[in-house]
Amino acid sequence: MDLSTYLTQLRRDFVLPVAELKEISIAFQHAMAAGLSGKPSCLKMLPSFIALPTGKEHGSVVAIDFGGTNVRVLDAELDGAGSIQVKQMKRFPLIDQVAGHNFLNEKAEASQLFGYIASKVAQLTRPGVSYSLGHTFSFPCEQLSINQARLLVWTKEIKTRGVEGQDVGALLDTALAGAGLPGIKSDAIINDTVGTLLAAAYSKKDVDVASICGTGHNTCYLEPVHPATGAPMIVNMESGNFDGVTQTRFDKTLDAGSDRPGQQILEKMVSGYYLGEIARIVFSDMSMSGLLPKSENLANRQTLRGIDLDHIIEDAGDLSRTQEVAKRCFLMDDLSLEQRRAMKEVLTRIAQRSARLVAATFQGAVLHVDPALKSPHFIAIGGSLFEKMPGYSAWLQQALDELNPTAIGRVSTMLAKDGSGIGAAIAAATAVTERI
Ligand code: GLC
């Protein structure tokens, strides 16, 4: 087979016409409705016990944002009149070869992970200030209240022992007491999508859906009348687990070799952690078909970093950056221009498919709350793909416009930078303000 025939087949697999996006959005709506009414569904539809902020939230807050390989700690102040001031914000790596720690692998214990986070909270808090604590914990949790959240299952290939099945609020509170901070206790635990929605809705009207398009992928939305309470509540859909999509043979290979086959099907097709992996699997297939050089590195997981994908996608002219990445990652020298073009096309198709699949799920969420699209809707989005990948946000918006040709401008996306940390602060202040 030659390169051009290979690419024609690849397009068949990866290009999603609008009709297919529509079907996906309908399947997504069905999964939402089923999950919400407690029927079996790939969407967990987890209640968050919080609605949109009013602007009246106030007080000193320490916010923790943990959802991947770094944890961020913020010291913030809400004035009760719609504004928030971040006094300090620091990021700490949970995997640090120099310091010799890895709190995220199968050897790490819950007490080590939360002990480390608590020690960082102790470093950032100012003596004499009374804080409420908001914790963005970006994994699927069953919530019993705003500050009780039981981790159902780790995602994003994290494996720390003793956390699954446990209340992360209680784990953190024990660690905070151990770090000499018995007065600080978990007041709110939220998902990062929920944090993103809270942060965006704090300063803008009509935001009722929020998503993370980064290392992981997930979306939440404001359910206007939640069946459990009859009142508005944000629902964390854990949409990375949506399975109403067609996997290519490359997606199936990726899934079979992942830590938890069969789970997080959508996330494995769209999120930053996996996009480079899909590309590596395609490149490896091309190499086996004699279309790219042989390379042992093609078998190594996580070789392509996010920034490599960005460089290739925006590469132009003689595609020298593509050559540079191919050499550094896969020791491939002297690729022909045709081979470089093929690599660029593979990556671009994979990234475009990600944006279009995500758009289809957004469409499902928006139509769930407003079937006739009577009102404007903003979807707040955080994460590296949306923020940094060249073309990604435009592909997403274009797919939404294709899905709503008679309502252009009704469904818009917006960047919500650092929303998950700020959102934790808003959630803690909300919990405390409502308790008074
Ligand atoms: C994973 C987690 C989810 C989180 C998302 C983005 O999908 O399961 O809870 O929101 O990553 O960080």
Side-chain angles (χ1 to χ4, degrees):
M1 190 191 305
D2 62 7
L3 260 181
S4 111
T5 317
Y6 190 92
L7 289 176
T8 308
Q9 280 186 9
L10 187 104
R11 280 175 215 134
R12 232 170 269 146
D13 280 343
F14 281 89
V15 175
L16 294 174
V18 68
E20 214 165 307
L21 298 187
K22 261 193 195 133
E23 280 169 26
I24 294 170
S25 77
I26 292 167
F28 194 81
Q29 281 185 71
H30 288 155
M32 284 177 79
L36 207 56
S37 59
K39 299 203 185 97
S41 171
C42 56
L43 293 181
K44 294 190 180 75
M45 305 298 281
L46 302 166
S48 66
F49 293 91
I50 194 163
L52 297 187
T54 57
K56 297 209 175 103
E57 304 74 13
H58 59 90
S60 300
V61 179
V62 56
I64 298 170
D65 179 11
F66 165 38
T69 47
N70 291 295
V71 63
R72 285 189 311 156
V73 183
L74 285 74
D75 170 1
E77 193 86 37
L78 285 90
D79 68 356
S83 102
I84 179 165
Q85 194 196 348
V86 177
K87 298 195 177 291
Q88 280 190 84
M89 165 157 80
K90 277 204 175 138
R91 176 193 295 264
F92 305 96
L94 295 168
I95 303 175
D96 188 338
Q97 267 151 13
V98 179
H101 67 236
N102 183 339
F103 297 119
L104 304 179
N105 65 12
E106 58 288 337
K107 292 196 195 114
E109 294 284 350
S111 56
Q112 295 172 307
L113 170 64
F114 287 99
Y116 179 77
I117 296 176
S119 73
K120 298 304 167 196
V121 172
Q123 265 179 31
L124 242 85
T125 42
R126 287 162 290 148
V129 179
S130 144
Y131 285 98
S132 53
L133 175 84
H135 183 187
T136 294
F137 182 75
S138 312
F139 303 94
C141 286
E142 178 190 36
Q143 297 222 199
L144 301 172
S145 68
I146 182 69
N147 64 354
Q148 287 174 289
R150 193 172 66 85
L151 174 64
L152 293 170
V153 61
W154 278 125
T155 50
K156 297 180 270 196
E157 317 279 318
I158 292 180
K159 303 185 193 76
T160 314
R161 291 191 296 187
V163 191
E164 284 180 337
Q166 301 301 312
D167 176 1
V168 295
L171 290 174
L172 181 65
D173 290 353
T174 306
L176 287 166
L181 299 171
I184 304 186
K185 289 207 162 45
S186 307
D187 291 297
I189 304 167
I190 55 169
N191 186 258
D192 51 356
T193 55
V194 177
T196 301
L197 183 48
L198 292 175
Y202 194 60
S203 53
K204 194 171 171 62
K205 258 176 48 161
D206 300 325
V207 189
D208 53 4
V209 179
S211 183
I212 299 292
C213 296
T215 308
H217 170 66
N218 184 17
T219 301
C220 75
Y221 75 104
L222 181 74
E223 174 62 45
V225 187
H226 193 278
T229 56
M233 192 196 294
I234 302 175
V235 175
N236 164 19
M237 295 194 273
E238 284 297 320
S239 60
N241 197 46
F242 180 60
D243 61 9
V245 283
T246 309
Q247 293 169 288
T248 65
R249 63 193 169 100
F250 308 111
D251 301 306
K252 288 182 185 154
T253 305
L254 183 149
D255 182 40
S258 68
D259 285 343
R260 295 176 189 270
Q263 292 184 22
Q264 300 295 101
I265 294 295
L266 177 69
E267 184 164 71
K268 286 174 186 160
M269 295 166 76
V270 304
S271 87
Y273 187 89
Y274 298 101
L275 291 190
E277 283 300 279
I278 307 173
R280 182 183 62 80
I281 292 167
V282 177
F283 294 156
S284 161
D285 184 63
M286 290 168 75
S287 159
M288 279 188 296
S289 314
L291 301 170
L292 285 177
K294 300 255 168 293
S295 161
E296 283 180 8
N297 286 17
L298 282 168
N300 299 342
R301 281 205 207 177
Q302 294 295 331
T303 315
L304 285 164
R305 298 162 309 163
I307 184 112
D308 298 325
L309 308 197
D310 297 353
H311 283 161
I312 296 183
I313 287 172
E314 69 184 344
D315 206 3
D318 66 353
L319 304 186
S320 54
R321 291 188 112 171
T322 306
Q323 173 62 73
E324 185 274 313
V325 174
K327 180 158 167 56
R328 181 165 38 79
C329 297
F330 303 120
L331 313 174
M332 292 178 185
D333 264 324
D334 295 329
L335 294 174
S336 68
L337 186 56
E338 202 196 359
Q339 285 172 319
R340 294 180 213 179
R341 281 203 183 118
M343 289 182 100
K344 178 178 156 128
E345 172 158 2
V346 167
L347 272 179
T348 311
R349 298 280 178 208
I350 291 170
Q352 279 171 339
R353 182 186 67 160
S354 159
R356 292 178 72 80
L357 284 174
V358 166
T361 67
F362 289 169
Q363 176 77 357
V366 169
L367 291 184
H368 171 84
V369 290
D370 181 6
L373 277 188
K374 287 202 179 115
S375 320
H377 298 269
F378 282 96
I379 303 165
I381 309 176
S384 52
L385 284 185
F386 189 77
E387 204 182 307
K388 300 199 179 122
M389 180 177 265
Y392 196 89
S393 60
W395 296 326
L396 230 170
Q397 186 64 53
Q398 189 197 319
L400 284 168
D401 291 347
E402 282 175 40
L403 282 161
N404 300 304
T406 56
I408 303 278
R410 271 289 156 83
V411 185
S412 320
T413 55
M414 60 176 269
L415 176 64
K417 231 175 152 190
D418 296 332
S420 55
I422 306 267
I426 297 172
T430 307
V432 173
T433 311
E434 279 176 5
R435 233 185 283 148
I436 294 167

